[in-house]
Amino acid sequence: MSLFYFIAFLSIFFAVMVITTKNPVHSVLYLVITFFTFTVHYILLNAQFLAVVNFIVYMGAIMVLFLFVLMLLNLNKETEPMKSVLVKAIGTIAGMCLLVTIAGSVKVLEVSNPVVLKNPEIGLVDNLGKVLFKEFLLPFEISSILLLTAMVGAVLLAKKEPKDI
Amino acid sequence: METAFIIEKFVLITIVFVLTLVIAMYSTLAERKVAGFMQDRNGPDRAGPFGILQPLADGGKFFFKEEIIPAGAHKSLFIAGPTIAIITACISSAVIPWGQQLTIGDRVIDLQVADINVGILYVFGVIALGVYGIMLGGWASNNKFSLMGAIRAASQSISYEIAMGLSIIALLMVTQTLSIKDIVAQQSGFVNWNIWVQPLGFIIFVTCAFAECNRVPFDLPECETELVGGYHTEYSSMKLGLYMFSEYINMFVSSAVMSALYFGGYNFPFMNDLGLSQNWITIIGVLAFFLKIFAFIFFFMWIRWTLPRFRYDQLMNLGWKILIPLAIANIVLTGIITLIKDTYW
């Protein structure tokens, strides 16, 4: 349990670092470390497949693309637009409202009696596969169609318009 | 029991680590010797008999060179780049089974550091992490050529990771497991090697492995004719050495993964008919595994001195328009054949 609190502390610490550092490349690197602590959380939950997929997809692919874009943009402190006091005030109020909402919903959840899994090995890859392809086949297929749609949309957006029109 | 287990794993990790470093070290010599062989000349032969002290001389030279961190560079990330590159290269060999069990007294020792049930995915994850070393180093150098090299490395590795993952899916449909230990154990003898059932998948995998290791013909991140030295233009001394070293370690590990996944790992022909004791079969198996790895390393070098480098658009076309459709076709084909086999045999 103390290990969990330590990792949870690290997650929150690095997540705060993501939004407080000035340099965007540092932000992305802190985000990578935050995702790494999530991977450790999944391993603590005995969800090895989820852990390694989180590792590959988020740390290995998505964050590399983030870093890629940021390196091309080459953002500096000078190019960062100055935000007006009004925007800052609105941001603070909105953030506080979100915090109150989250705190309220967590209180309703009754964290003090956690759900005990019937099968602690549910996160291993063969159990997960059986559940996904037997019990939840329809939602799984539908989410794959959703991903396909997103992919087609991305290709369409990236495609250049033919010049002769 | 617990301490014995820790000592056993510690010894195994040390052996694997030292072997990895020594093999990577001698790969640099082998590369130049193979180049000499291909180009009908001798290669390095001055340091010691047949030049076998050459890697030591190179290493010593790297340590004594002046270390320069450019004034405009981002210092901490400049140092982090080669560090990440070498660490990720070294930890990727943790899940490879080097042999079967050795029995010493009444202890049975598994010749594998960690048998996790998502072994292949672990290797993928670590490989995917390795690109951070190159990207950070290239960006932190604050040099246009380095940045271009870093960006090329990132887009190349992401593009080829997709085809690599798809080629592995077809293999997993045959093996039914993600654990490398089980995959190798299934390929006992000679006729059960996965190369016989997944030839297309193997070709795709090899091509992607070349791209992931940044080896010729995919070494565009360090393309010296266009980008001076690519991502390591600003690096000197041992930091440059670590980048080069991590490339050779990656080559060794990917050779090991390829021989484990497709060429039977520690299995060798007629292993069950020789009538030898288990320990002898294990020892011969480890030797056979290393023989396969060295054959693959030679193959890497052979390609390097045979093929010219791709142009960047050719590289992207090969990855996205040829390898990915081929890999998907391979998955469908494997699925159909498995279904027919299960229904009618």
Side-chain angles (χ1 to χ4, degrees):
Chain A
M1 206 62 189
S2 57
L3 186 63
F4 165 75
Y5 279 116
F6 178 64
I7 302 293
F9 167 75
L10 285 184
S11 309
I12 294 170
F13 175 75
F14 286 117
V16 171
M17 289 301 278
V18 172
I19 52 172
T20 50
T21 44
K22 294 278 182 196
N23 189 329
V25 171
H26 288 189
S27 278
V28 171
L29 293 178
Y30 282 122
L31 194 53
V32 171
I33 303 176
T34 314
F35 279 128
F36 182 71
T37 58
F38 290 171
T39 301
V40 180
H41 279 304
Y42 287 133
I43 291 174
L44 287 180
L45 291 171
N46 206 14
Q48 297 178 358
F49 183 70
L50 207 55
V52 84
V53 165
N54 180 57
F55 195 82
I56 295 174
V57 174
Y58 281 90
M59 288 178 69
I62 294 180
M63 293 327 289
V64 170
L65 286 178
F66 265 58
L67 204 58
F68 185 93
V69 173
L70 281 178
M71 283 177 176
L72 278 179
L73 291 178
N74 203 13
L75 295 172
N76 294 319
K77 272 174 221 160
E78 294 86 52
T79 55
E80 196 184 343
M82 284 301 290
K83 293 180 184 74
S84 65
V85 183
L86 183 68
V87 174
K88 281 179 185 167
I90 292 173
T92 314
I93 294 167
M96 288 298 171
C97 290
L98 189 64
L99 185 68
V100 170
T101 320
I102 291 175
S105 55
V106 166
K107 216 176 160 196
V108 173
L109 268 180
E110 291 176 43
V111 223
S112 48
N113 29 337
V115 182
V116 179
L117 279 180
K118 279 176 240 152
N119 178 7
E121 304 220 312
I122 190 76
L124 300 188
V125 61
D126 42 352
N127 298 329
L128 192 70
K130 274 173 197 149
V131 172
L132 272 186
F133 282 98
K134 281 184 180 152
E135 258 179 81
F136 299 103
L137 183 62
L138 188 66
F140 186 69
E141 300 277 333
I142 289 174
S143 61
S144 77
I145 290 172
L146 192 71
L147 283 177
L148 185 69
T149 322
M151 209 158 77
V152 171
V155 170
L156 210 64
L157 282 178
K159 211 175 158 191
K160 284 185 193 127
E161 293 286 332
K163 278 179 188 145
D164 50 0
I165 295 172
Chain B
M1 190 67 191
E2 195 64 23
T3 32
F5 180 76
I6 291 171
I7 292 170
E8 174 194 311
K9 287 295 177 197
F10 186 75
V11 170
L12 189 64
I13 290 170
T14 315
I15 293 174
V16 169
F17 192 64
V18 169
L19 263 181
T20 312
L21 292 184
V22 168
I23 288 173
M25 208 164 98
Y26 275 91
S27 297
T28 60
L29 175 68
E31 176 111 85
R32 296 164 70 184
K33 280 282 183 192
V34 170
F37 170 63
M38 300 274 166
Q39 296 163 356
D40 202 16
R41 55 186 174 84
N42 274 339
D45 62 351
R46 296 291 130 164
F50 306 107
I52 53 167
L53 297 178
Q54 187 71 41
L56 295 176
D58 286 343
K61 198 183 104 182
F62 268 130
F63 273 113
F64 288 114
K65 285 259 180 175
E66 188 188 353
E67 184 140 9
I68 299 165
I69 297 179
H74 190 298
K75 202 174 169 200
S76 53
L77 291 184
F78 191 78
I79 297 170
T83 318
I84 295 174
I86 195 89
I87 289 176
T88 51
C90 287
I91 60 173
S92 50
S93 62
V95 291
I96 293 168
W98 303 99
Q100 286 168 310
Q101 287 97 3
L102 268 184
T103 317
I104 298 174
D106 53 353
R107 269 198 77 76
V108 178
I109 299 171
D110 254 331
L111 294 184
Q112 184 184 22
V113 176
D115 176 31
I116 52 177
N117 69 7
V118 285
I120 296 185
L121 295 179
Y122 169 83
V123 175
F124 269 71
V126 174
I127 290 174
L129 216 55
V131 75
Y132 280 108
I134 294 177
M135 283 188 83
L136 291 181
W139 181 79
S141 302
N142 199 10
N143 174 326
K144 288 193 178 68
F145 294 118
S146 301
L147 184 65
M148 284 299 293
I151 282 168
R152 281 183 178 192
S155 47
Q156 174 179 325
S157 90
I158 287 188
S159 314
Y160 280 79
E161 247 163 46
I162 301 173
M164 199 181 209
L166 289 173
S167 72
I168 284 294
I169 289 176
L171 178 73
L172 297 180
M173 287 162 75
V174 177
T175 61
Q176 312 264 322
T177 171
L178 281 165
S179 152
I180 299 189
K181 187 183 185 183
D182 296 347
I183 292 177
V184 176
Q186 285 169 4
Q187 306 178 58
S188 172
F190 185 64
V191 286
N192 293 327
W193 288 6
N194 283 331
I195 176 73
W196 311 126
V197 282
Q198 283 292 325
L200 184 61
F202 172 68
I203 292 170
I204 298 167
F205 191 87
V206 161
T207 317
C208 297
F210 272 80
E212 294 286 325
C213 292
N214 294 328
R215 291 285 299 185
V216 178
F218 302 101
D219 66 337
L220 287 131
E222 46 190 301
C223 175
E224 70 276 350
T225 45
E226 299 162 14
L227 296 179
V228 191
Y231 61 90
H232 54 52
T233 306
E234 297 286 357
Y235 280 89
S236 56
S237 183
M238 202 57 205
K239 291 207 196 69
L240 175 67
L242 287 181
Y243 268 129
M244 293 171 71
F245 221 65
S246 67
E247 186 186 315
Y248 283 101
I249 295 175
N250 278 334
M251 198 166 89
F252 167 65
V253 173
S254 53
S255 301
V257 170
M258 279 190 284
S259 25
L261 293 186
Y262 289 97
F263 281 85
Y266 50 71
N267 295 302
F268 54 94
F270 312 115
M271 58 189 289
N272 300 326
D273 309 326
L274 289 174
L276 292 170
S277 70
Q278 178 64 37
N279 277 357
W280 278 110
I281 287 186
T282 305
I283 291 169
I284 298 173
V286 173
L287 294 178
F289 189 34
F290 275 94
L291 199 69
K292 289 170 195 170
I293 293 174
F294 292 146
F296 269 112
I297 292 179
F298 177 74
F299 181 64
F300 268 95
M301 292 170 181
W302 183 9
I303 295 288
R304 170 161 183 181
W305 300 108
T306 310
L307 290 181
R309 189 179 282 140
F310 280 119
R311 220 172 49 221
Y312 204 72
D313 59 323
Q314 291 172 330
L315 171 96
M316 283 294 151
N317 276 345
L318 178 68
W320 288 95
K321 293 186 183 162
I322 299 176
L323 289 182
I324 291 179
L326 262 184
I328 293 174
N330 191 29
I331 292 174
V332 174
L333 204 67
T334 311
I336 293 171
I337 292 175
T338 315
L339 187 69
I340 292 174
K341 221 173 127 187
D342 287 353
T343 329
Y344 297 104
W345 258 279

